Amino acid sequence: MNESNKIKAVIFDLDGVLVDTAGYHYAAWHRLALSLGIEFSKKDNEQLKGVSRIESCRFILKMGGIVKTEEEINELCALKNSWYLETIVGMDKSELLPGTEKLLKSLQMHGIKIGLGSASKNARTILDATGIDHYFDAHIDGNDVTKSKPDPEVFLMGAQKLDLDPHDIVVVEDSIKGIEAALKGGFITLGIGLSSVLIDAHHVETGLEHVDITLLKNLQQVAQGSKVQL
Ligand code: B16
Ligand code: MG
């Protein structure tokens, strides 16, 4: 493998990839939906993973056939966020998903750049609370973007900040919309979760504890069409 054919960076999604917050988002949305008399299941929630707060709120209201003004929608978003923040207050390293810090350390040691590509406006708070902020060379979150995943904006901004080509970057995502966004942007994709759900990803693992540098390098070859055993 020559220098031009080498993984140069990994951009991580946050919720559900690095930290165990996906369940907290679901609990807060479920509570909000219930308060509006809307049934909202875990299966419905798959559609919201990686989606911005306001788009998520609109999705739930639409499910319930409820029409609200922009002001009311913003109030509902603020309420959901206050419940979500209650659950993440006092968060520490123990909320990191297995394998997270080991992989970040290993990437740093091998000179592979690390980026964040999250839809969350709470991303900075979570990176600080879990003590992993210092690993990141580029940080793009819900405060920086104008378009929600599956638009590739969040990852393209990350690539631009890292000054690298998407073909040399692996995006690690737990959501269907996030994988779609990364593919649209021309990135190599690694899904975290179930391969039956993240069907379009170049490869899927159940958690970061199963991911290492060798797998990431082989993944680039797979994305380029080689039949490498992962
Ligand atoms: P916030 P990710 C996403 O984060 C979550 O998956 C999604 O459930 C949430 O609605 C979105 O962030 C916005 O989060 O309300 O904290 O701004 O998976 O893209 O890291
Ligand atoms: Mg996610």
Side-chain angles (χ1 to χ4, degrees):
M1 203 178 291
N2 61 36
E3 270 306 298
S4 60
N5 183 12
K6 188 171 164 271
I7 289 291
K8 299 198 174 107
V10 178
I11 297 181
F12 292 92
D13 170 54
L14 180 67
D15 295 304
V17 169
L18 300 174
V19 285
D20 204 4
T21 45
Y24 299 147
H25 276 296
Y26 170 61
W29 285 127
H30 186 260
R31 186 171 167 187
L32 189 78
L34 214 65
S35 74
L36 296 163
I38 303 168
E39 271 185 49
F40 180 65
S41 69
K42 275 203 168 160
K43 193 165 175 244
D44 298 324
N45 190 57
E46 282 303 318
Q47 298 300 319
L48 299 193
K49 286 187 179 173
V51 177
S52 72
R53 202 179 302 164
I54 193 143
E55 291 302 326
S56 301
C57 191
R58 288 202 177 106
F59 178 91
I60 291 173
L61 290 171
K62 199 169 168 198
M63 269 183 67
I66 295 177
V67 179
K68 295 272 184 197
T69 64
E70 277 307 291
E71 200 186 335
E72 286 167 333
I73 293 174
N74 286 329
E75 279 167 15
L76 290 174
C77 282
L79 186 60
K80 181 268 174 180
N81 196 48
S82 69
W83 291 335
Y84 174 67
L85 288 176
E86 273 171 25
T87 56
I88 65 164
V89 83
M91 186 179 217
D92 59 22
K93 268 191 194 304
S94 64
E95 299 281 348
L96 290 175
L97 283 162
T100 293
E101 197 150 19
K102 187 172 173 217
L103 181 60
L104 292 173
K105 265 189 194 146
S106 169
L107 291 171
Q108 200 174 54
M109 253 173 53
H110 285 82
I112 297 174
K113 298 276 180 218
I114 302 172
L116 184 86
S118 168
S120 177
K121 292 186 173 177
N122 296 303
R124 186 70 78 178
T125 308
I126 293 173
L127 291 187
D128 278 344
T130 52
I132 56 170
D133 195 39
H134 64 97
Y135 289 107
F136 290 83
D137 300 290
H139 183 289
I140 308 291
D141 67 29
N143 300 295
D144 306 303
V145 296
T146 55
K147 296 173 204 130
S148 206
K149 298 170 189 173
D151 191 283
E153 185 186 27
V154 66
F155 299 127
L156 290 174
M157 281 176 85
Q160 203 175 20
K161 215 163 180 181
L162 292 165
D163 198 18
L164 292 172
D165 187 302
H167 293 103
D168 296 322
I169 303 176
V170 176
V171 166
V172 189
E173 255 290 348
D174 71 320
S175 72
I176 302 166
K177 296 220 165 51
I179 294 289
E180 197 185 327
L183 289 171
K184 274 188 196 157
F187 294 85
I188 305 159
T189 55
L190 173 60
I192 297 296
L194 298 173
S195 46
S196 56
V197 174
L198 304 173
I199 44 175
D200 293 327
H202 288 112
H203 181 67
V204 179
E205 290 288 345
T206 51
L208 292 184
E209 71 273 37
H210 305 297
V211 180
D212 60 16
I213 308 275
T214 310
L215 183 130
L216 293 170
K217 284 182 178 165
N218 287 340
L219 187 55
Q220 187 175 36
Q221 288 183 271
V222 168
Q224 287 166 351
S226 307
K227 290 213 177 311
V228 179
Q229 192 65 38
L230 293 174

